[in-house]
Amino acid sequence: MTKLHGKSSLSLSLSVGQTLPTIPLSLVKAEIDEKEAALSTPFSVGNARAALTAVFVGLIYSSTASEMAVSSRTRNMLENLVREGSFKWLLGHRSSFNEEYEEMTRSPCARNNWISELSVIANIVVRRCLKILGIPATELQESFNSEASDSIKHPSRYARNILEYCCFRALAVSIKVNDYLADKKFRRLTFDMMVAWEAPAAPSEPSVHVDECISVGIEAFSRIAPAVPIIANVIISENLFEVLTASTGGRLQFSIYDKYLNALERALRKMKTQSESSLLSVVRLSKGEKILEVDGTVTTQPVLEHVGISTWPGRLILTDHAIYFEALRVVSFDKAKCYDLSDDLKQVVKPELTGPWGTRLFDKAVFYKSISLSEPVIIEFPELKGHTRRDYWLAIIREILYVHRFINKFQIKGVERDEALSKAVLGIVRLQAIQDISLVVHLNCESLLMFNLCDQLPGGDLILETLGNMLTLRESDQTDKSQSGSRMYSSSALDMVSNLGFVFGSSSNSHAENRLVVGDITVGKMTSLERAVKKSKNNYAKVVVAQATIDGVKVDGFETNFAVMKELFFPVLALRQCLFSLAYWEDPLHSFVFCSVFTFIICRQWLGYSFALILIFAAIFMVLTRLFSQGNPVDVVKVIAPPPTNKMEQLLAVQNAISQAEGFIQDGNIVLLKLRALLLTMFPQASMKFAVALLLMASILAFVPSRYIVLLLFLETFTRYSPPRRASTERWMRRLREWWFSIPAAPVVIEKEEDKKRK
């Protein structure tokens, strides 16, 4: 028996093999109208199910009796589908916001935890946070009003700021629970915090329409995610968001976010297992080192160490202080070699090429050098194609090296040092998680590690300086923050890793009250670190735009590049041609005026003012060009392309250019060898004349004022080819060349050194 309850008493009995009786369509229409009217009431699954049931009944009874004869199996299946709500897909995807909103509307005490300034979505998120905190909304609001400054409580920003305040407090409590990353409710809560952050204020109509496939933008992610330091960091949050949204058009969906948190949980579990293992247990015990990554344990992915001409396979281990390499013997590993990253040993870590018999063919290795080693070490990561493994290891090794350089530079000690180490370690965990889920094909590892990124960003040193100042605050400042104001800040990385079960350095011996209790985000305003990061990334955006223009103007071919350079140097070449014309007195009137004017300037000591005036004219020209070219297209450099040449002609041109360069070098060597012969008096007569000339020049520099020396050089240069002096100049230049050609060059002996192979 199946009954459809309503105001009309429409009921029917179905039995196996029995056809459905004919029911007047007026009764069916009345039943359908009644269910349609029920949909005008507040939405519920029960009303929708009843409406669907009425629709199915109408479809069944509007057919003829012969067409409605179906088997009992089919009828029972339809009844079960309607009864169990299996047609829910017809109603569309409904999010947790919709279900919780219905629950709140039915709850008589829901308004007690309702903040009028917040939107429905924000109130739902706050309701979940209040359950975690165990306080009512009134107490939360009173606490915020008492702790926040007037600027943070401004009406235009009140909704978002109180939402951030509530989220930071709830997250600080949530991360103290073990395995919180594995909790689906925690993942959903952090994502919904971002959703609410984008629409925090109460609209004019209190309603909620949220699709299950809702996504969040970069601003919401960069504000909420760094509040949980394992998820993101202030410095790399934007780069991480770009990686997570590479396939979704710049909007983060919950499915990808949930997948990322799953990978984070697996990476943390793996790192914790490695640190608790017996690997290097004796060596690591003294410094309390934690193992961050291990490679070389799989035969298909070996790690090779090259020292000199010797090569050994083995196992590579990275800790938060050093790199360890254990060479593989027959059945076991040899004693580990330690390459320290924590002390200031002038370490150099860079990519390197390797190959058989010393050839440089494969870009798959990491070069390590320090003053503690007699010769550098090359660690190779062989793989069939690409150098993904090498890039990953290069990035994480540099991250540990850079964090220790940061610690040594700013003399950071105690829990502040552990905080800096925690930031680097969490960055490596995030990178491992991104690699695990394989969101992008070509991953730039350095962009997801904060100390690597600061080494590349313009103004990255200012970011590290700001971070160093934040970590080295006076104890009194930390005490002030650890009291009432700490709830206005996000959690610190050190508290995060401590709650996860990791202990770095001195953290194990420090009491809870001595630990940092604040993070890099504060409610309602940007911290100094955020401002430094924003400024640096704005400058980096300008660098990217400039680099794009540079890449766009690069041309191929030697002759084409030479033609472009010749066109760019055209003003300089034109000025050079003009000066030569004045110096050779091709137009005597112009040359005479030029010499007279500059002689007057030099005599009046206005030469400095003249150069300053030229710079002023250049600046005025740039300003006028900027004013009159607004809205006009940028003038491009037009270059006439040289005629095309084949490969043989290009090779001949290159060979000719090399021969000319070799000739210039030979001429330069001859000049230097002749000067050496003069100084060593290998040709006494010429050397005596040269010595007299040097004495004369020294006397002039010592006793003649500098302006007269400049005037003398100028007149000598620009009047030597004037009509009165041309004949004598040509005669003296000929004698000078004859004297120079008569000077012998100092002898040179070329010795070939035999190659000495290292054993």
Side-chain angles (χ1 to χ4, degrees):
M1 176 72 70
T2 301
K3 290 189 177 183
L4 303 178
H5 298 283
K7 292 183 180 180
S8 61
S9 57
L10 176 62
S11 62
L12 53 127
S13 300
L14 300 176
S15 60
V16 179
Q18 182 181 359
T19 60
L20 295 172
T22 302
I23 304 296
L25 292 179
S26 59
L27 293 179
V28 176
K29 184 176 183 301
E31 186 72 16
I32 295 174
D33 292 340
E34 180 183 353
K35 296 307 178 184
E36 288 179 350
L39 290 177
S40 62
T41 60
F43 183 83
S44 66
V45 178
N47 292 337
R49 187 180 296 124
L52 284 172
T53 305
V55 171
F56 273 101
V57 173
L59 291 175
I60 292 172
Y61 284 101
S62 60
S63 303
T64 60
S66 59
E67 293 174 345
M68 295 168 57
V70 293
S71 64
S72 61
R73 181 179 179 183
T74 304
R75 287 196 303 272
N76 292 335
M77 180 184 68
L78 289 174
E79 291 174 5
N80 292 332
L81 288 175
V82 174
R83 184 183 303 111
E84 296 174 3
S86 299
F87 290 104
K88 189 176 180 179
W89 59 272
L90 292 173
L91 306 175
H93 297 286
R94 303 180 68 242
S95 69
S96 58
F97 283 112
N98 300 99
E99 298 174 357
E100 195 161 353
Y101 178 65
E102 292 178 11
E103 181 183 349
M104 291 177 65
T105 55
R106 291 194 301 267
S107 176
C109 59
R111 288 293 173 178
N112 295 335
N113 285 331
W114 192 275
I115 300 177
S116 59
E117 291 84 359
L118 298 180
S119 63
V120 176
I121 297 176
N123 268 296
I124 293 173
V125 171
V126 169
R127 182 171 180 260
R128 299 180 199 169
C129 295
L130 293 177
K131 291 181 180 179
I132 296 174
L133 297 173
I135 60 174
T138 54
E139 182 178 340
L140 174 76
Q141 198 164 9
E142 290 174 359
S143 178
F144 174 75
N145 293 334
S146 62
E147 295 180 16
S149 61
D150 294 336
S151 60
I152 295 178
K153 292 185 292 186
H154 192 273
S156 61
R157 306 165 57 195
Y158 185 87
R160 178 163 287 167
N161 291 344
I162 193 174
L163 176 64
E164 288 184 2
Y165 176 78
C166 180
C167 292
F168 290 174
R169 288 189 59 179
L171 291 175
V173 175
S174 299
I175 63 175
K176 294 180 180 179
V177 180
N178 293 333
D179 297 330
Y180 58 89
L181 281 177
D183 187 1
K184 294 182 179 179
K185 292 183 179 179
F186 174 82
R187 300 176 191 171
R188 188 75 222 192
L189 174 62
T190 54
F191 186 82
D192 289 344
M193 286 177 178
M194 303 176 199
V195 176
W197 191 91
E198 291 190 331
S204 56
E205 297 181 1
S207 59
V208 56
H209 299 286
V210 180
D211 191 4
E212 184 66 24
C213 298
I214 192 172
S215 59
V216 296
I218 188 170
E219 292 185 2
F221 179 83
S222 300
R223 194 63 185 167
I224 299 299
V228 185
I230 182 60
I231 299 178
N233 180 279
V234 168
I235 299 176
I236 59 91
S237 59
E238 293 186 5
N239 295 338
L240 177 61
F241 182 85
E242 291 176 0
V243 172
L244 293 176
T245 59
S247 60
T248 56
R251 299 285 296 181
L252 179 61
Q253 297 178 353
F254 178 72
S255 57
I256 296 179
Y257 178 75
D258 185 66
K259 189 177 181 181
Y260 167 62
L261 293 192
N262 262 321
L264 275 178
E265 197 267 336
R266 289 194 299 270
L268 283 169
R269 191 166 57 246
K270 171 189 171 185
M271 185 175 293
K272 191 171 183 180
T273 302
Q274 290 174 345
S275 294
E276 293 174 352
S277 66
S278 60
L279 291 176
L280 304 174
S281 57
V282 178
V283 180
R284 295 188 293 118
L285 187 61
S286 59
K287 293 184 179 180
E289 299 179 46
K290 302 298 178 185
I291 295 179
L292 307 181
E293 186 61 282
V294 180
D295 202 350
T297 57
V298 181
T299 56
T300 57
Q301 292 184 332
V303 176
L304 305 178
E305 182 191 52
H306 304 274
V307 181
I309 61 174
S310 64
T311 301
W312 284 100
R315 179 168 60 190
L316 186 65
I317 302 173
L318 175 67
T319 70
D320 53 349
H321 284 75
I323 315 170
Y324 295 92
F325 183 82
E326 297 176 322
L328 180 62
R329 298 303 178 184
V330 179
V331 293
S332 63
F333 289 97
D334 200 357
K335 182 180 179 181
K337 298 179 183 178
C338 177
Y339 304 115
D340 195 9
L341 300 174
S342 59
D343 292 336
D344 187 9
L345 301 176
K346 310 299 180 184
Q347 297 98 331
V348 176
V349 179
K350 62 180 183 179
E352 186 58 276
L353 300 175
T354 59
W357 302 290
T359 58
R360 295 168 56 85
L361 297 176
F362 307 115
D363 186 17
K364 301 176 186 295
V366 173
F367 176 91
Y368 176 86
K369 180 182 179 181
S370 71
I371 59 176
S372 63
L373 298 177
S374 58
E375 54 184 338
V377 176
I378 297 175
I379 301 173
E380 185 181 1
F381 302 89
E383 52 186 329
L384 292 178
K385 60 179 182 178
H387 40 78
T388 306
R389 285 176 66 208
R390 192 281 311 276
D391 292 345
Y392 167 69
W393 271 94
L394 177 66
I396 62 177
I397 291 173
R398 280 179 168 176
E399 185 73 359
I400 300 301
L401 175 64
Y402 291 159
V403 69
H404 282 288
R405 284 183 179 175
F406 167 76
I407 291 170
N408 296 331
K409 179 179 179 180
F410 293 97
Q411 297 296 314
I412 301 174
K413 300 178 181 179
V415 291
E416 292 84 4
R417 178 180 182 276
D418 302 336
E419 170 78 4
L421 273 178
S422 302
K423 290 179 180 293
V425 171
L426 292 181
I428 294 175
V429 172
R430 285 190 291 268
L431 179 59
Q432 293 172 349
I434 291 295
Q435 284 192 325
D436 185 16
I437 57 180
S438 302
L439 289 174
V440 291
V441 178
H442 302 290
L443 179 63
N444 183 10
C445 298
E446 288 83 1
S447 64
L448 299 179
L449 300 172
M450 59 177 289
F451 292 98
N452 273 273
L453 186 61
C454 290
D455 184 67
Q456 298 177 357
L457 283 177
D461 58 329
L462 300 179
I463 297 177
L464 294 180
E465 183 179 351
T466 304
L467 180 61
N469 294 334
M470 291 177 62
L471 292 178
T472 55
L473 290 173
R474 297 191 309 270
E475 185 177 356
S476 59
D477 294 336
Q478 295 184 13
T479 303
D480 293 339
K481 285 183 180 180
S482 65
Q483 294 172 357
S484 61
S486 65
R487 293 186 293 186
M488 303 295 292
Y489 289 80
S490 60
S491 300
S492 68
L494 181 58
D495 283 343
M496 173 67 61
V497 295
S498 299
N499 294 331
L500 291 170
F502 291 92
V503 179
F504 293 95
S506 60
S507 295
S508 58
N509 301 323
S510 62
H511 300 288
E513 60 269 14
N514 293 329
R515 290 188 179 179
L516 294 173
V517 293
V518 295
D520 301 332
I521 305 285
T522 184
V523 172
K525 59 182 180 181
M526 297 179 64
T527 60
S528 56
L529 180 61
E530 290 178 288
R531 286 193 294 269
V533 171
K534 183 177 180 180
K535 183 178 179 180
S536 177
K537 291 193 174 180
N538 289 338
N539 295 334
Y540 180 70
K542 298 176 183 178
V543 172
V544 170
V545 173
Q547 188 62 39
T549 61
I550 293 172
D551 296 337
V553 298
K554 287 182 178 179
V555 295
D556 297 329
F558 174 79
E559 294 182 350
T560 306
N561 281 284
F562 184 76
V564 173
M565 181 176 291
K566 186 177 179 181
E567 183 65 26
L568 294 174
F569 271 105
F570 175 76
V572 178
L573 296 176
L575 178 61
R576 175 178 174 272
Q577 185 65 29
C578 180
L579 291 176
F580 272 102
S581 175
L582 294 172
Y584 283 95
W585 289 71
E586 296 177 0
D587 189 341
L589 179 61
H590 289 172
S591 298
F592 178 76
V593 172
F594 176 78
C595 289
S596 301
V597 170
F598 265 86
T599 301
F600 178 76
I601 290 174
I602 293 172
C603 291
R604 297 299 300 268
Q605 297 183 357
W606 288 354
L607 198 59
Y609 298 110
S610 301
F611 286 111
L613 191 62
I614 293 174
L615 296 178
I616 292 173
F617 283 150
I620 293 175
F621 171 78
M622 294 171 63
V623 172
L624 293 178
T625 304
R626 176 73 177 87
L627 292 175
F628 290 105
S629 64
Q630 288 183 354
N632 299 326
V634 180
D635 293 336
V636 297
V637 180
K638 297 181 180 180
V639 180
I640 299 176
T645 57
N646 54 33
K647 294 293 183 181
M648 183 59 66
E649 292 173 338
Q650 292 177 4
L651 291 175
L652 291 175
V654 172
Q655 184 180 3
N656 186 28
I658 294 174
S659 300
Q660 291 180 359
E662 183 181 3
F664 290 145
I665 294 173
Q666 288 177 348
D667 293 340
N669 289 335
I670 290 172
V671 171
L672 295 175
L673 290 172
K674 286 191 174 187
L675 290 176
R676 177 184 176 87
L678 287 173
L679 292 174
L680 298 178
T681 63
M682 294 181 181
F683 190 54
Q685 186 178 0
S687 297
M688 291 303 296
K689 293 181 180 179
F690 186 64
V692 172
L694 291 178
L695 289 174
L696 182 60
M697 292 173 59
S699 301
I700 293 174
L701 291 174
F703 299 106
V704 179
S706 59
R707 61 173 175 174
Y708 295 119
I709 296 175
V710 174
L711 178 62
L712 182 64
L713 292 175
F714 173 76
L715 291 177
E716 167 60 25
T717 303
F718 281 93
T719 62
R720 65 175 58 174
Y721 291 103
S722 60
R725 294 189 57 196
R726 182 181 294 272
S728 61
T729 299
E730 291 177 352
R731 185 172 58 254
W732 279 103
M733 293 298 294
R734 182 182 179 88
R735 298 293 177 267
L736 183 62
R737 286 196 299 270
E738 291 173 354
W739 173 78
W740 178 255
F741 291 149
S742 66
I743 300 173
V748 177
V749 178
I750 307 297
E751 295 181 355
K752 294 184 178 180
E753 184 180 1
E754 296 181 359
D755 295 335
K756 296 180 180 180
K757 296 184 178 180
R758 292 175 295 179
K759 295 183 179 180

